[in-house]
Amino acid sequence: MRKIARYIIGALALFAMGCASGSKVSATPAEIEALDNLVANQSFEINARWALPMPSQALNSISNANLLPIGSNASRIDLTGNASYLRMVGDRVEADLPYFGERQMSGGYDPQRTGIQFEGMAENLKIEPNTKTKGYTMRFDINNGLESYQVIAQLMPSRSSSFSIVSSHRTQIRYQGILSEYSEEED
């Protein structure tokens, strides 16, 4: 019995060391400098490639009915072909993102505005260096008049990014995408 316990403890120790070694982020000095400049200029955009909604019975039903894009499932939805973005220009932020999830509170219904959409001044804006990822963590609150949102974004030197949105009316959703410089001439 002691021999089995030793094997289990040894296996758990190896597993823990393997997990710890995988958390190191390698970024070149050029990537870190480019990210520092993007953040300092506060003119960037995250183009969302994937939506990661909270799993629910309703989303599983939609997935089982093959109503999601090809290559998607109830917890990871491909956004290719959609103009899905979170943008920051100075202290102003704007977003136009599809939403997959459940409403927790009723609100006005507008069939043209079913996603997460907001534009305005970011409240409680904080952009702080993240020593673990060698990137930045951005946090802010915003209200679009109907809903209020809390946004937390991870900006990585590799230009990959993920962000979560907590809404006053809907279940939380996360997105993954690509970080790029934004210039207003692109619109």
Side-chain angles (χ1 to χ4, degrees):
M1 189 61 136
R2 287 186 178 193
K3 200 174 201 179
I4 293 173
R6 285 185 195 158
Y7 284 124
I8 292 173
I9 290 172
L12 288 174
L14 286 174
F15 179 73
M17 286 188 297
C19 290
S21 66
S23 66
K24 293 180 183 173
V25 176
S26 62
T28 66
E31 289 174 328
I32 293 170
E33 183 180 353
L35 179 62
D36 290 344
N37 290 336
L38 260 180
V39 171
N41 293 335
Q42 286 191 336
S43 184
F44 55 84
E45 176 176 72
I46 303 169
N47 290 302
R49 305 286 186 201
W50 294 95
L52 305 149
M54 299 279 290
S56 69
Q57 184 60 42
L59 277 171
N60 284 332
S61 296
I62 290 170
S63 180
N64 291 339
N66 294 321
L67 296 175
L68 294 175
I70 295 172
S72 300
N73 59 47
S75 60
R76 186 171 166 90
I77 300 168
D78 186 359
L79 300 179
T80 303
N82 292 318
S84 308
Y85 62 87
L86 171 65
R87 188 176 292 153
M88 177 169 210
V89 180
D91 289 339
R92 295 188 57 78
V93 291
E94 60 183 88
D96 190 358
L97 300 157
Y99 178 75
F100 302 91
E102 297 180 6
R103 277 197 171 271
Q104 301 300 312
M105 293 179 62
S106 65
Y109 180 72
D110 180 354
Q112 302 302 315
R113 294 180 52 120
T114 58
I116 294 176
Q117 298 172 326
F118 55 78
E119 182 177 353
M121 297 299 286
E123 299 172 21
N124 305 317
L125 175 64
K126 292 181 185 173
I127 302 177
E128 302 172 322
N130 185 326
T131 55
K132 186 175 182 180
T133 64
K134 298 184 181 174
Y136 290 87
T137 300
M138 177 175 72
R139 302 170 192 271
F140 65 87
D141 302 323
I142 191 161
N143 188 320
N144 71 359
L146 299 172
E147 283 180 80
S148 57
Y149 303 99
Q150 294 176 323
V151 180
I152 301 174
Q154 299 298 325
L155 311 174
M156 310 293 190
S158 66
R159 298 291 178 107
S160 66
S161 182
S162 64
F163 58 98
S164 64
I165 298 180
V166 178
S167 165
S168 59
H169 290 56
R170 312 173 199 216
T171 56
Q172 178 180 346
I173 188 167
R174 289 183 41 236
Y175 297 90
Q176 291 177 334
I178 305 298
L179 177 66
S180 62
E181 185 174 357
Y182 174 74
S183 64
E184 294 188 44
E185 294 89 45
E186 294 176 7
D187 286 339

